[in-house]
Amino acid sequence: MLFGYVVDWCKSEKTSQTVGHRTFSALALNSAPEASGLPPLLQAMAEDSPDEEDAFRPTVQGLVIGWRTLLRQAAGPTGERDLDKAVFAWLDAALERYDLKSVVFETLRQTVNVPGAEGPTLRETLRTSAQWWVQGQDRPYSNEKEDLKRELSALLDQDLIARRNQPIGSHPSLPGAPGDASPADAEADAA
C-alpha cells in the first residue's frame, strides 16, 4: 500500500519533486542490515516466497514512475545526487545478483524510453550515472562493471532504434509519462 502512495506522489506534479522524490529515493537506496545490502525495492523483488499473502513485489510500471522522478530532478551536472547513489546500488545488485539483472535492466530501460524531448535527456542522465558507476570518484574500475554498463547501453540503443522505427503516433506511453507522441516527438527522438 505504501508503494502505491509513493507512485501516486511521483505521478503528481504537485508532489513529485518533493515527497515523491524523497520517498522513492529512500526505497531505492536504503538497505536494512539483514538485506545483504540490497535496497528495499530490490529486496522485495528478490524474496523467495512471493506467494505469501503479505509478500510485496513492486510492479515494474511503479518502479519506472519512481525512477523517472529521480532522473527528472537529477538531469544536469553530476555530483553527490540521490540518482547516482540509486544507480550505483541497482547496478551493483545487477552485477552481484544475476536473478535481479533482468528487473534492473527492464526498469531502467522503460524509465528512459519516453517520447519527445525528455527521452534523450533522461537517457543521457542515466548513461552519465552508469559511467560514474564504472569509474567515478571513489569507484574503482573493473572489467565486469564496464561489461555490464556496455550491455545496458546496448539495450538502451536498441530501444532508441525501435522507437525511431515506429510510425509517428504509435509510441507506447506509460501512465505518468508526460503527454502522448506527436510529430514533434519524432523530431525530438531523433536528437
Side-chain angles (χ1 to χ4, degrees):
M1 184 160 54
L2 171 64
F3 186 67
Y5 287 127
V6 173
V7 170
D8 288 342
W9 294 330
C10 288
K11 281 195 239 180
S12 167
E13 260 186 64
K14 190 175 187 177
T15 58
S16 69
Q17 297 305 311
T18 54
V19 69
H21 178 270
R22 284 192 304 265
T23 54
F24 185 80
S25 292
L27 294 174
L29 288 171
N30 294 344
S31 57
E34 70 276 0
S36 304
L38 288 176
L41 292 174
L42 285 177
Q43 180 63 34
M45 299 300 279
E47 293 293 320
D48 290 334
S49 53
D51 298 330
E52 290 182 21
E53 192 174 303
D54 61 345
F56 163 70
R57 279 212 191 247
T59 63
V60 170
Q61 183 177 2
L63 293 172
V64 165
I65 291 166
W67 269 100
R68 283 191 185 149
T69 299
L70 289 181
L71 282 166
R72 285 180 183 131
Q73 191 170 37
T78 59
E80 194 66 16
R81 306 180 298 185
D82 288 342
L83 170 66
D84 293 323
K85 293 175 194 172
V87 168
F88 295 174
W90 284 52
L91 291 179
D92 283 342
L95 185 64
E96 295 165 14
R97 302 266 315 255
Y98 185 78
D99 59 321
L100 292 175
K101 182 177 167 182
S102 64
V103 75
V104 168
F105 276 17
E106 186 63 22
T107 299
L108 295 177
R109 288 174 72 183
Q110 285 187 35
T111 298
V112 301
N113 194 14
V114 296
E118 185 178 38
T121 301
L122 295 178
R123 219 174 358 268
E124 287 313 306
T125 301
L126 176 60
R127 286 180 199 264
T128 300
S129 286
Q131 183 58 44
W132 276 93
W133 173 72
V134 171
Q135 187 175 14
Q137 188 175 15
D138 301 323
R139 304 283 310 171
Y141 176 85
S142 79
N143 288 330
E144 293 80 13
K145 290 194 310 187
E146 180 70 35
D147 291 344
L148 190 79
K149 185 206 60 131
R150 273 197 207 123
E151 185 179 348
L152 176 61
S153 245
L155 292 170
L156 297 179
D157 291 343
Q158 272 181 357
D159 295 339
L160 180 60
I161 290 166
R163 175 173 288 291
R164 287 184 179 173
N165 288 332
Q166 287 179 341
I168 294 173
S170 67
H171 296 287
S173 180
L174 188 68
D180 291 323
S182 70
D185 292 337
E187 290 175 23
D189 279 344

